């Protein structure tokens, strides 16, 4: 009996519930969202303290934004793999 | 003299009402952002396209036609996603930082939402090989990001402003 149960578990081990994958992706998108907010909060602070440094701060902020955003895209790809399997 | 009886048109009236409006001169910060976006695009475009091409060939050899289609679609989605960010930088270049924060967060939310809908719809397309699509997308996004970071380094924006005399 336990062998049958184990065999069934092994069969379904590769497949992830698509709803579970979507929830995981939603959780994974929170981190980059917080990161983007922190980046721009720092830019606003920095520009208020030193307005002439705005373009330098913006450049750093945008490249940080791109790097942070990749995390969400990786999560999206993982969600796609899990839900399409 | 009343203007109602004056047959001659006023000389100082703007005559460009039917033509394109004149662009305002770009500020220093906006010009720097445009330069950054152009450099990022120039640096990342060809490596991204090369990655899609290599992934398409590999998927075609390993999987077949469905792999080629999956790799092309995955590469197209990743390229569109990355170019959307560069478009966002160019579009918002003249804005105040507080408005730019709203633009960045809104752009992030909108992009993630659109991509999630697109990817969910793509799971129902049987003609595409899912793993080819996913891996091509992953590789393209990573290469684009690395190239964009390299482009950012090329702009030589100082991260530490040296103090004169120190």
């Amino acid at each position: 009996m336990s062998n049958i149960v184990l065999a069934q578990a092994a069969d379904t081990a590769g497949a992830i519930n698509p709803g579970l994958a979507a929830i995981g992706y939603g959780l994974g998108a929170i981190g980059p969202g917080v990161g983007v907010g922190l980046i721009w909060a720092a830019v606003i602070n920095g520009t208020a303290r030193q307005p002439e440094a705005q373009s330098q701060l913006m450049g750093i902020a945008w490249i940080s934004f791109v790097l942070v955003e990749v995390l969400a895209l990786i999560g999206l790809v993982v969600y796609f793999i899990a839900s399409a399997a | 003299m009343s203007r109602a009886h004056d047959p001659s048109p006023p000389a100082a009236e703007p005559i460009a009402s039917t033509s394109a409006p004149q662009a305002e001169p770009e500020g220093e910060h906006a010009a720097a952002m445009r330069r950054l976006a152009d450099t990022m695009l120039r640096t990342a475009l060809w490596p991204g396209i090369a990655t899609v091409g290599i992934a398409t060939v590999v998927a075609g050899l390993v999987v077949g036609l469905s792999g080629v289609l999956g790799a092309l679609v995955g590469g197209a989605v990743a390229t569109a996603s990355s170019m959307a960010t560069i478009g966002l930088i160019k579009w918002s270049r003249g804005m105040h930082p507080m408005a730019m924060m709203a633009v960045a967060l809104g752009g992030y939310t909108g992009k993630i939402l659109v991509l999630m809908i697109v990817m969910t719809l793509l799971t129902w397309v049987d003609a595409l090989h899912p793993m080819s699509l996913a891996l091509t997308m992953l590789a393209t996004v990573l290469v684009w990001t690395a190239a964009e970071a390299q482009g950012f380094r090329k702009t030589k924006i100082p991260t530490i402003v040296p103090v004169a005399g120190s």
Side-chain angles (χ1 to χ4, degrees):
Chain A
M1 179 65 186
S2 63
N3 286 340
I4 295 171
V5 172
L6 287 175
Q8 286 175 341
D11 283 344
T12 57
I16 300 173
N17 185 349
L20 206 58
I23 291 172
Y25 168 60
L27 290 174
I30 292 174
V34 172
V36 172
L38 285 176
I39 288 167
W40 290 101
V43 168
I44 292 170
N45 263 325
T47 308
R49 286 171 186 269
Q50 199 175 354
E52 65 272 17
Q54 182 183 337
S55 53
Q56 293 172 7
L57 296 172
M58 292 278 191
I60 296 164
W62 274 118
I63 194 66
S64 310
F65 173 82
V66 168
L67 292 171
V68 162
E69 199 182 35
V70 168
L71 296 174
L73 293 177
I74 292 172
L76 184 73
V77 171
V78 172
Y79 155 73
F80 177 76
I81 292 172
S83 61
Chain B
M1 190 171 124
S2 141
R3 275 184 66 102
H5 299 290
D6 188 2
S8 61
E13 283 290 321
I15 55 172
S17 57
T18 55
S19 62
Q22 287 183 344
E24 288 184 14
E26 219 172 32
E28 179 195 345
H29 302 310
M33 286 304 96
R34 187 170 48 76
R35 210 165 47 245
L36 173 69
D38 288 342
T39 309
M40 283 166 70
L41 179 62
R42 213 170 34 245
T43 316
L45 186 62
W46 291 114
I49 290 174
T51 308
V52 176
I54 292 169
T56 305
V57 170
V58 171
L61 291 175
V62 174
V63 181
L65 181 62
S66 64
V68 171
L69 290 175
L72 285 175
V73 171
V77 171
T79 304
S81 160
S82 301
M83 287 184 83
T85 303
I86 293 178
L88 203 64
I89 297 174
K90 288 187 93 166
W91 181 70
S92 65
R93 64 184 185 272
M95 290 183 180
H96 192 268
M98 279 182 278
M100 213 179 267
M101 180 180 189
V103 167
L105 278 169
Y108 169 75
T109 308
K111 194 161 102 171
I112 292 304
L113 196 65
V114 168
L115 278 177
M116 183 158 186
I117 292 169
V118 168
M119 298 300 271
T120 305
L121 293 177
L122 285 177
T123 56
W124 296 341
V125 181
D126 293 331
L128 306 175
H129 189 253
M131 198 55 85
S132 301
L133 193 152
L135 293 181
T136 305
M137 191 174 164
L138 197 59
T140 309
V141 164
L142 289 177
V143 168
W144 259 88
T145 307
E148 281 176 343
Q150 186 66 26
F152 170 73
R153 286 186 62 199
K154 276 187 187 172
T155 57
K156 294 187 169 42
I157 293 176
T159 49
I160 298 173
V161 181
V163 179
S166 65

